């Protein structure tokens, strides 16, 4: 919490997004597929300070209305997460332009939603006493549209900016209801997740983001700020060109992949914002050498030495195919060099 509040700390904070079961077994001796204590033991052993979690409410959207299942490629050990795509329930782009997320999915009872989020947060924090267990929402605006329509229909609909903004406003109004509920909880930190760009950057015109998306972020984050909460914005892809826009909208910090220019983040926001990421790339962990891993750790620690809000992370995940020996080297080297 010192780091998240930009107060002095003896080392950077640390988080990881890890789905490497073999690594957990190597570190803890526990099998995460069989032992419910394995991930907690791993987080403690790897000195994880912040757990990346979000919660969009008690009832999934696919139980309340139409969503598009685009399927899933093999990512987890043994390929247990692979599934084929299902047909899109939207027959035409006109169906998308007529869609209203609030009408489709409904607004849960507000007091019940507050109670649900508070209980979830309380139980999560109690079960992870050595970590910060934040609040958070995943399907904020663009990610909500991805969940509902899938990429093909989303991109077709986005070709008409005026109609698409009206569609996005439905996801905004749905999110606002949930953000207001989250604001009433005891969570001190909140993760706003919204995958609004690709690895190449924005997939819509930048000015559309500035007109249609970022003002809505500001409205969502104002709800949380009025209750004293810190807002960390998270997106996959490269949102370097939007860093100033996000800061102006009220983001207190950024969670990002190595695609985002760390020099730009530190240069403009190193003393004022929380920075969650690093130069360490999961592709280096997977295919590189200890020397390459060490070089990326060193470059990050040097660049972020004077950033009070720095949280070290492999920003694009530690997936199942990272060799255990490379992951072990990474953390051993990092933890022996991160003290200030």
């Amino acid at each position: 919490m010192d780091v998240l509040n930009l107060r002095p700390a003896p080392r950077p904070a640390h988080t990881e997004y890890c789905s490497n079961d073999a690594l957990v077994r190597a570190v803890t001796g526990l099998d995460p597929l069989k032992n419910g204590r394995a991930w907690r033991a791993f987080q403690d052993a790897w000195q994880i300070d912040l757990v990346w979690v979000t919660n969009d409410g008690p009832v999934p959207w696919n139980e309340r209305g139409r969503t598009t299942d685009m399927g899933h490629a093999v990512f987890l050990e043994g390929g247990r997460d692979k599934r084929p795509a299902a047909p899109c329930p939207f027959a035409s782009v006109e169906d998308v332009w007529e869609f209203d997320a609030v009408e489709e999915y409904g607004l849960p009872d507000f007091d019940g939603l507050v109670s649900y989020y508070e209980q979830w947060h309380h139980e999560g924090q109690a079960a992870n006493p050595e970590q910060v267990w934040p609040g958070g929402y995943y399907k904020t605006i663009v990610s909500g549209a991805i969940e509902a329509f899938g990429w093909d229909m989303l991109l077709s609909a986005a070709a008409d900016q005026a109609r698409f903004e009206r569609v996005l406003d439905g996801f905004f109004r749905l999110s606002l209801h949930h953000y207001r509920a989250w604001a009433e909880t005891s969570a001190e930190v909140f993760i706003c997740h919204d995958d609004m760009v690709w690895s190449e950057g924005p997939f819509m015109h930048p000015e559309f983001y500035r007109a249609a998306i970022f003002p809505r972020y500001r409205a969502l984050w104002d709800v949380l700020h009025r209750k004293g909460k810190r807002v960390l914005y998270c997106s996959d892809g490269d949102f370097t060109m939007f860093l100033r826009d996000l800061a102006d909208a009220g983001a207190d910090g950024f969670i990002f992949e190595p695609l985002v220019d760390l020099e730009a983040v530190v240069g403009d926001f190193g003393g004022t914002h929380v920075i969650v990421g690093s130069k360490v790339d999961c592709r280096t962990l997977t295919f590189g050498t200890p020397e390459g891993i060490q070089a990326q750790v060193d470059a990050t620690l040097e660049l972020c030495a004077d950033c009070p809000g720095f949280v070290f992370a492999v920003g694009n995940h530690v997936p199942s195919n990272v060799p255990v020996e490379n992951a072990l080297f990474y953390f051993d080297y990092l933890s022996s060099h991160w003290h200030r």
Side-chain angles (χ1 to χ4, degrees):
M1 285 305 302
D2 282 340
V3 169
L4 297 179
N5 285 294
L6 308 181
R7 296 191 291 258
R11 64 163 174 86
H14 181 217
T15 191
E16 299 292 352
Y17 330 116
C18 179
S19 58
N20 193 314
D21 295 334
L23 176 62
V24 175
R25 287 192 288 268
V27 171
T28 68
L30 304 174
D31 187 344
L33 300 178
K34 300 177 181 178
N35 193 316
R37 297 183 293 110
W39 281 108
R40 162 75 185 281
F42 174 76
Q43 290 174 177
D44 290 349
W46 266 40
Q47 300 183 61
I48 300 295
D49 302 302
L50 171 69
V51 183
W52 196 104
V53 288
T54 59
N55 190 322
D56 291 0
V59 182
W61 284 6
N62 62 5
E63 296 180 13
R64 304 177 72 94
R66 291 168 291 175
T67 60
T68 299
D69 185 350
M70 294 182 289
H72 205 277
V74 172
F75 188 72
L76 298 178
E77 183 181 284
R80 63 184 186 272
D81 54 333
K82 184 177 182 179
R83 68 177 187 274
C88 177
F90 297 89
S92 69
V93 69
E94 285 76 15
D95 290 343
V96 175
W97 287 329
E98 294 173 359
F99 183 86
D100 186 294
V102 173
E103 292 181 2
E104 185 80 12
Y105 306 126
L107 300 179
D109 173 75
F110 185 77
D111 291 339
L113 195 59
V114 173
S115 297
Y116 168 80
Y117 283 142
E118 178 61 32
Q119 181 177 351
W120 182 84
H121 172 70
H122 176 77
E123 292 175 353
Q125 188 61 79
N128 297 269
E130 299 301 320
Q131 289 79 35
V132 173
W133 183 271
Y137 195 80
Y138 192 90
K139 299 188 291 287
T140 297
I141 296 177
V142 180
S143 285
I146 298 169
E147 170 109 352
F149 311 130
W151 277 112
D152 290 343
M153 277 297 179
L154 184 154
L155 293 171
S156 296
D160 187 317
Q161 292 186 1
R163 288 182 172 182
F164 191 56
E165 181 175 358
R166 288 196 294 272
V167 175
L168 292 184
D169 188 67
F171 293 104
F172 159 72
R173 288 183 283 109
L174 180 59
S175 295
L176 183 61
H177 183 74
H178 287 263
Y179 276 57
R180 286 172 172 159
W182 265 117
E184 297 301 320
T185 71
S186 58
E188 298 179 68
V189 181
F190 186 90
I191 294 175
C192 166
H193 172 274
D194 201 25
D195 286 335
M196 52 111 179
V197 295
W198 285 348
S199 58
E200 297 86 357
F203 59 88
M204 299 178 288
H205 195 286
E207 292 309 313
F208 180 75
Y209 288 84
R210 294 180 172 118
I213 296 177
F214 300 146
R216 289 177 167 87
Y217 283 171
R218 174 181 287 280
L220 293 171
W221 300 344
D222 281 350
V223 169
L224 299 166
H225 284 148
R226 287 197 295 270
K227 295 294 185 175
K229 302 187 188 307
R230 303 281 283 168
V231 177
L232 307 182
Y233 174 76
C234 177
S235 173
D236 286 348
D238 184 0
F239 57 87
T240 304
M241 70 177 299
F242 293 135
L243 287 166
R244 176 53 62 187
D245 298 282
L246 293 165
D248 289 346
D252 297 302
F254 312 105
I255 302 174
F256 50 87
E257 296 186 278
L259 294 162
V260 173
D261 186 342
L262 186 58
E263 282 82 359
V265 181
V266 172
D268 290 341
F269 306 102
T272 58
H273 285 67
V274 177
I275 299 172
V276 186
S278 74
K279 286 182 171 290
V280 181
D281 194 308
C282 70
R283 292 167 290 189
T284 306
L285 294 182
T286 306
F287 306 111
T289 63
E291 291 77 16
I293 298 167
Q294 176 178 330
Q296 292 182 342
V297 172
D298 287 343
T300 303
L301 291 176
E302 180 179 1
L303 181 63
C304 299
D306 296 324
C307 299
F310 183 56
V311 183
F312 206 111
V314 179
N316 51 0
H317 212 83
V318 183
S320 300
N321 63 330
V322 170
V324 169
E325 59 271 19
N326 276 3
L328 293 175
F329 174 84
Y330 155 71
F331 179 68
D332 288 345
Y333 185 80
L334 170 64
S335 59
S336 62
H337 289 80
W338 63 15
H339 292 280
R340 289 168 169 163

